[in-house]
């Protein structure tokens, strides 16, 4: 028996966060340069706070995973219960892309299946290559809730 989806596994990473939130990293660098000229100690504190935030975000990112096997789809998120369903039960995945900035890397996916609770996960946790692989695997069921049609039609 062949599966609806090709088996794939994607795990969240630091690279995914940096690639998705590059504008926040750039903002911290600009602030450190601007503040560091007049108050170097404050710049050090800003760097330490930014690193602490990045460490916390990385801890959450590395706890995220989407695993597709021949029989089931598993979604793992740190501090939440593992969600798994049979492959045949998946009906759609809603892709919620923020309007400002309109960036697919910041999208949230909502997995929906008949008779099962839904699961949500932020795609910013995954590296760009993993996001592309997951989009390719789920192309037939990935829909835009705003447009009501598959996102590959855009």
């Amino acid at each position: 028996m062949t599966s609806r989806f090709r088996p794939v596994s994607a795990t969240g990473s630091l690279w995914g966060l940096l690639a998705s939130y590059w504008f926040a990293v750039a903002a911290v660098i600009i602030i450190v340069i601007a503040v560091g000229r007049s108050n170097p100690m404050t710049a050090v504190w800003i760097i330490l706070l930014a690193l602490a935030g990045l460490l916390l975000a990385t801890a959450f990112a590395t706890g995220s995973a989407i695993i597709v096997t021949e029989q089931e789809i598993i979604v793992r998120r740190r501090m939440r219960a593992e969600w798994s369903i049979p492959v045949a039960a998946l009906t759609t995945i809603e892709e919620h892309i923020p309007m400002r900035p309109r960036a697919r890397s910041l999208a949230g996916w909502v997995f929906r299946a008949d008779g099962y609770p839904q699961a949500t996960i932020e795609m910013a946790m995954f590296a760009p290559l993993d996001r592309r692989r997951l989009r390719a695997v789920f192309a037939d069921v990935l829909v835009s809730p705003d447009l009501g049609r598959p996102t590959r039609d855009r």
Side-chain angles (χ1 to χ4, degrees), residues 4-147:
R4 281 174 64 188
F5 307 112
R6 179 172 42 93
V8 67
S9 176
T11 304
S13 66
L14 172 64
W15 173 241
L17 290 173
L18 292 178
S20 297
Y21 295 106
W22 61 267
F23 50 88
V25 173
V28 168
I29 291 170
I30 291 169
I31 291 169
V32 166
I33 290 170
V35 170
R37 291 175 171 227
S38 61
N39 194 343
M41 195 59 194
T42 302
V44 169
W45 281 107
I46 291 171
I47 291 170
L48 290 176
L49 286 173
L51 288 175
L54 185 61
L55 182 65
L56 181 65
T58 302
F60 277 93
T62 56
S64 301
I66 298 174
I67 303 163
V68 180
T69 65
E70 294 286 330
Q71 294 85 22
E72 66 181 344
I73 299 170
I74 302 166
V75 176
R76 291 187 182 134
R77 297 144 308 172
R78 186 162 313 273
M79 298 179 65
R80 292 190 188 172
E82 181 178 283
W83 182 86
S84 66
I85 60 162
V87 169
L90 182 68
T91 54
T92 60
I93 300 173
E94 292 179 1
E95 183 176 43
H96 296 269
I97 302 172
M99 293 305 288
R100 301 273 188 265
R102 185 112 178 121
R104 283 191 179 191
S105 64
L106 300 177
W109 280 12
V110 179
F111 289 78
R112 297 193 184 275
D114 292 332
Y116 292 90
Q118 69 184 27
T120 59
I121 195 161
E122 296 299 320
M123 296 311 291
M125 305 290 182
F126 300 98
L129 179 63
D130 287 337
R131 286 194 298 261
R132 284 191 293 272
R133 283 186 12 228
L134 289 169
R135 285 186 64 76
V137 167
F138 292 119
D140 293 337
V141 293
L142 199 59
V143 298
S144 169
D146 302 327
L147 302 175

